[in-house]
Amino acid sequence: MIESPEELEAIRKSCHSMVTKSSSLSAGAAIVPLPGVDIVSDVAILMRLIPRINEKFGLSPEQIDSLDTEPKLFVMTTISNTGSKMAGKYITRKLILMLLKKMGFKGASKGAAKFVPFIGSALAGSISFSAMKYMGSRHIEDCYQIALATLENKQRESAVMVKPATEQASSITSDGSKETE
């Protein structure tokens, strides 16, 4: 479980680094002038990348299932409120393909660009890099917001649990028993 905003920020930076590396792999596959290689590659990259990001933020399905009822409910509600399509979910090829279809305009332009000699391959690689970077970064920001809200909620609950115990004033009554205000 993430314990501090500093730890959360370090996770965010680490995930952005992973996304940049994955985006470079996607761009490399897009340069190959064979139809479909880039899509198969993007699916494979995202099938590895998204679960790793979820896990780093404590948002894999297994991590969420291991939470107590109250924190689990809070996390699931926060995921729903952010509208994240991938946080806390088992990542399947079907889900990845659905998300890639939503970005279809980039895929179509990438596919058409491949047929323009030299410049087309570079353009396809550039489009692929940008699309992968966008998808990954968007997912990181969703996970970051969910994890931040969860951390803040945990800190609020801890403060509430500690506060009443420290604020309780007691006095001794005339019969010698303690009285709490």
Side-chain angles (χ1 to χ4, degrees), residues 74-86:
F74 182 84
V75 169
M76 295 306 289
T77 302
T78 306
I79 288 172
S80 178
N81 290 342
T82 45
S84 176
K85 304 266 189 276
M86 298 181 285

Side-chain angles (χ1 to χ4, degrees), residues 52-80:
R52 286 176 63 203
I53 292 170
N54 284 343
E55 190 175 316
K56 283 190 171 275
F57 280 101
L59 297 173
S60 73
E62 297 82 10
Q63 290 167 313
I64 293 171
D65 285 344
S66 73
L67 296 172
D68 292 334
T69 304
E70 290 291 321
K72 181 193 255 182
L73 183 59
F74 182 84
V75 169
M76 295 306 289
T77 302
T78 306
I79 288 172
S80 178

Side-chain angles (χ1 to χ4, degrees), residues 152-164:
E152 289 171 348
N153 185 59
K154 181 181 167 187
Q155 289 173 339
R156 264 193 310 275
E157 286 180 355
S158 294
V160 168
M161 302 275 283
V162 170
K163 195 173 186 179

